[in-house]
Amino acid sequence: MNAAESLPRRLQGWLEELYRLPPLAPVDAFLVEGRAVNGPTETLLVRETGNDLELGLYLDPRILERFATRGGLDNFPRQSLEDFWTLLEGVSHFVCLGWHAERNREISALDLEIQAEIDKYVSAREFCRQSGLGDIGEQLHETLFSEWKLGEDMDAGLAERYRRASEIAARYCRYLQSRHDDSLGLRAELRDFFRLSPQRRRERIHELARE
């Protein structure tokens, strides 16, 4: 990844490399400006008009500023995991939906959330390894899937989607943690998984949970 690129673009490049995806249009061209006061810190905006799909991605500039102040991805050990996961989640939504849209494949909001949770776990684990922190997969799994909390005023339907996505992704990430100690094996598994249909992905996670 080019250090001169913006942080969202570097995260996009990371995910494209991780899953060996053809490059999508740069995420920077789709970023929506503004500052949320009490609203969400990352949001993928989607509008369908006929056969056209319009995308926009909002990332809270305060998080981007904090991340840059601490040295960006090149100084990962100094970063807040919460900030990293917030930014990665938004970019994950953009990459996953963009890849499916280019192939005229449908994907639900739930499946976008499942993919984002997987991306957050795997990416944090790999960045920790690469930055010399070692493999702290167990700690990351606990933090991401057991210690998170929903906003008090969150819509009930949205809250249920997040709960389901977290539960399903936690099962798959537990499998990844137990079966893949090396990056090569992990990436091969992830690349095959990413290309499955959303329904087949959930079926695979259900099958793996019974092994």
Side-chain angles (χ1 to χ4, degrees):
M1 292 182 289
N2 186 347
E5 292 178 320
S6 73
L7 176 57
R9 182 66 188 93
R10 289 188 72 186
L11 291 174
Q12 178 186 357
W14 157 255
L15 292 175
E16 289 171 347
E17 177 188 354
L18 180 66
Y19 292 107
R20 196 172 285 167
L21 306 177
L24 296 167
V27 66
D28 291 347
F30 298 85
L31 293 179
V32 177
E33 295 184 355
R35 183 182 293 271
V37 178
N38 295 314
T41 51
E42 62 83 20
T43 305
L44 182 67
L45 307 170
V46 182
R47 181 170 65 185
E48 291 188 70
T49 306
N51 294 324
D52 295 328
L53 183 68
E54 298 179 58
L55 298 180
L57 177 62
Y58 173 77
L59 298 173
D60 192 325
R62 293 169 294 188
I63 297 178
L64 290 167
E65 290 167 9
R66 287 198 299 266
F67 217 90
T69 299
R70 299 189 188 109
L73 286 174
D74 295 325
N75 203 352
F76 187 78
R78 289 191 59 207
Q79 299 297 344
S80 156
L81 267 179
E82 183 176 353
D83 284 350
F84 174 72
W85 279 332
T86 296
L87 297 175
L88 189 78
E89 180 171 0
V91 177
S92 170
H93 290 333
F94 173 83
V95 169
C96 190
L97 183 57
W99 187 86
H100 279 76
E102 284 192 346
R103 288 153 184 79
N104 294 316
R105 293 176 59 173
E106 294 184 358
I107 186 166
S108 69
L110 173 61
D111 289 296
L112 283 176
E113 294 296 342
I114 293 170
Q115 184 63 51
E117 293 303 300
I118 294 169
D119 288 346
K120 285 156 66 175
Y121 171 77
V122 169
S123 297
R125 186 181 177 192
E126 289 297 288
F127 273 101
C128 284
R129 282 174 165 173
Q130 293 175 13
S131 60
L133 296 175
D135 188 350
I136 57 172
E138 183 65 36
Q139 179 182 335
L140 291 170
H141 195 282
E142 177 72 16
T143 302
L144 181 59
F145 296 116
S146 299
E147 297 179 5
W148 67 285
K149 295 180 180 179
L150 293 169
E152 294 181 0
D153 300 326
M154 183 174 290
D155 172 79
L158 186 59
E160 179 59 21
R161 183 200 305 165
Y162 285 149
R163 287 192 195 95
R164 288 187 64 199
S166 179
E167 178 184 344
I168 293 169
R171 289 192 219 123
Y172 185 60
C173 292
R174 177 65 71 192
Y175 164 80
L176 294 176
Q177 181 182 332
S178 65
R179 295 297 181 90
H180 295 288
D181 293 328
D182 65 294
S183 292
L184 289 177
L186 175 67
R187 292 186 180 210
E189 160 72 29
L190 287 170
R191 288 164 182 168
D192 287 343
F193 179 82
F194 187 91
R195 288 162 173 78
L196 297 174
S197 69
Q199 179 180 349
R200 182 67 190 108
R201 289 188 196 189
R202 290 196 228 172
E203 290 172 351
R204 175 161 174 74
I205 292 173
H206 183 68
E207 292 164 359
L208 294 173
R210 293 184 301 179
E211 292 185 0

